[in-house]
Amino acid sequence: MISVIVVSLNTKDDFIKTINSILSQTKKVEIIVVDGESTDGTIEEIKKISKYLNKIIVEKDEGIYFAMNKGIRMASSEWVYFLNSGDIFFENTTVENIMNTLIKNREADVVIGNSLVKKKKYLVKSPRTEMNNNTVSSCFSHQSTFVKKDLLKQYPFNTKYKFASDFDFYLKLFKFNKKFCYVDQFISINKYGGISDINRIKVYLEFKNVIFTRNYNFFNISKINSLIFINFLKKIIKLILPTSLIEKIVYIFDRKNKC
């Protein structure tokens, strides 16, 4: 019923952690691994556990969305889910629980749950809002999202984006009036400090390009410009303030969503 796609490139320790999380589930899924020819021992780990993996692709690609599209083409289940190297399922019954939810919501095209982000010794609930006509940035993480395979094959990720192709994809589905179902279930615990976390301004600049294409109006452009400016200020502040002080400030802001 569910194909889980794991994309990896030189993430051996994180990759093992993610695969173990999938294998520990009480319900089995189709596991698809797409590796970009890692050189850190990840490929050796893939070979060790190959009997537990349904499909394996090891070849160079041009980025994460190229790899995700490869995985989609190999998927044979009704629903597709992406779990990044370093991310894990919330608990070992997560797949079983979400399968029951998907069965009850077969008319949905996208089912979105909740996710947590691991920051040092504490967990923070990842922000989640419903997509609407004034959406200018990601409303949820793809690690909390299950999508009908046919839609992913019909509308593959646009590889011109390095950071925002998943946002572009979900906004496209929303504009095409596909059905989004939001459920109050925790799906994943995500590793902090990924490529989007450390390239926040570039991410928002790509969001702006998506907005021009999919959700353009003066109000939305003003909103995204404000977010770009705020993130630019944050970057300047991080360069000026000591790391210890920044961590304390982040911890204070995280308290309301801390778990």
Side-chain angles (χ1 to χ4, degrees):
M1 187 177 182
I2 299 173
S3 295
V4 177
I5 299 173
V6 180
V7 173
S8 64
L9 179 62
N10 296 324
T11 57
K12 184 178 78 169
D13 292 340
D14 284 339
F15 172 79
I16 294 170
K17 181 179 179 182
T18 297
I19 292 297
N20 285 339
S21 172
I22 300 171
L23 294 176
S24 70
Q25 292 297 299
T26 54
K27 286 286 186 180
K28 300 305 178 185
V29 296
E30 178 181 54
I31 305 174
I32 301 171
V33 170
V34 184
D35 184 87
E37 287 195 354
S38 295
T39 58
D40 68 338
T42 302
I43 295 176
E44 287 69 26
E45 293 299 329
I46 292 172
K47 291 177 180 177
K48 288 178 185 177
I49 59 170
S50 60
K51 66 179 180 180
Y52 301 110
L53 309 177
N54 298 95
K55 292 164 187 175
I56 303 169
I57 307 170
V58 178
E59 61 184 21
K60 286 189 179 297
D61 53 54
E62 298 179 52
I64 188 169
Y65 293 115
F66 283 88
M68 291 167 75
N69 282 338
K70 288 180 188 177
I72 292 165
R73 290 193 290 270
M74 298 290 288
S76 59
S77 302
E78 181 182 4
W79 294 89
V80 170
Y81 175 75
F82 296 95
L83 198 60
N84 297 347
S85 285
D87 301 334
I88 59 175
F89 281 115
F90 177 67
E91 56 190 355
N92 64 0
T93 58
T94 296
V95 168
E96 183 175 358
N97 295 337
I98 199 65
M99 278 186 177
N100 293 329
T101 298
L102 296 178
I103 290 169
K104 293 176 183 176
N105 294 277
R106 285 194 180 276
E107 75 285 359
D109 297 301
V110 184
V111 174
I112 303 114
N114 302 313
S115 59
L116 297 167
V117 178
K118 185 173 179 58
K119 290 189 177 182
K120 293 187 179 294
K121 295 182 179 180
Y122 61 94
L123 296 172
V124 179
K125 187 176 180 181
S126 182
R128 190 192 80 167
T129 56
E130 294 191 12
M131 192 164 276
N132 58 55
N133 286 317
N134 293 319
T135 294
V136 298
S137 62
S138 291
C139 297
F140 40 78
S141 67
H142 68 245
Q143 298 99 317
S144 64
T145 309
F146 295 79
V147 184
K148 287 281 180 66
K149 174 194 64 182
D150 291 344
L151 287 174
L152 284 161
K153 288 190 172 183
Q154 185 177 359
Y155 307 111
F157 291 113
N158 188 336
T159 53
K160 80 173 183 179
Y161 297 116
K162 291 184 178 180
F163 310 103
S165 191
D166 47 348
F167 171 59
D168 174 65
F169 170 77
Y170 294 125
L171 190 55
K172 182 191 302 181
L173 294 189
F174 175 78
K175 289 296 183 178
F176 288 167
N177 295 314
K178 301 303 179 182
K179 184 169 182 179
F180 286 64
C181 176
Y182 297 85
V183 297
D184 191 19
Q185 292 177 233
F186 278 106
I187 307 298
S188 65
I189 300 175
N190 307 330
K191 180 183 177 184
Y192 181 71
I195 187 170
S196 294
D197 293 321
I198 60 180
N199 292 280
R200 189 57 59 184
I201 293 177
K202 292 181 180 179
V203 171
Y204 277 98
L205 287 172
E206 285 200 355
F207 284 168
K208 186 174 180 178
N209 288 335
V210 173
I211 297 306
F212 267 108
T213 304
R214 309 253 176 238
N215 218 11
Y216 178 82
N217 62 51
F218 178 78
F219 176 68
N220 285 348
I221 295 302
S222 298
K223 280 172 63 180
I224 193 66
N225 283 337
S226 297
L227 289 172
I228 292 169
F229 179 69
I230 290 169
N231 278 274
F232 177 76
L233 287 180
K234 287 181 179 178
K235 187 172 183 178
I236 296 299
I237 291 170
K238 286 181 180 179
L239 293 173
I240 296 172
L241 296 180
T243 302
S244 58
L245 180 55
I246 293 172
E247 289 178 349
K248 289 179 181 178
I249 294 172
V250 170
Y251 181 82
I252 291 171
F253 278 99
D254 281 343
R255 278 191 303 186
K256 65 178 180 179
N257 291 316
K258 188 180 171 190
C259 300

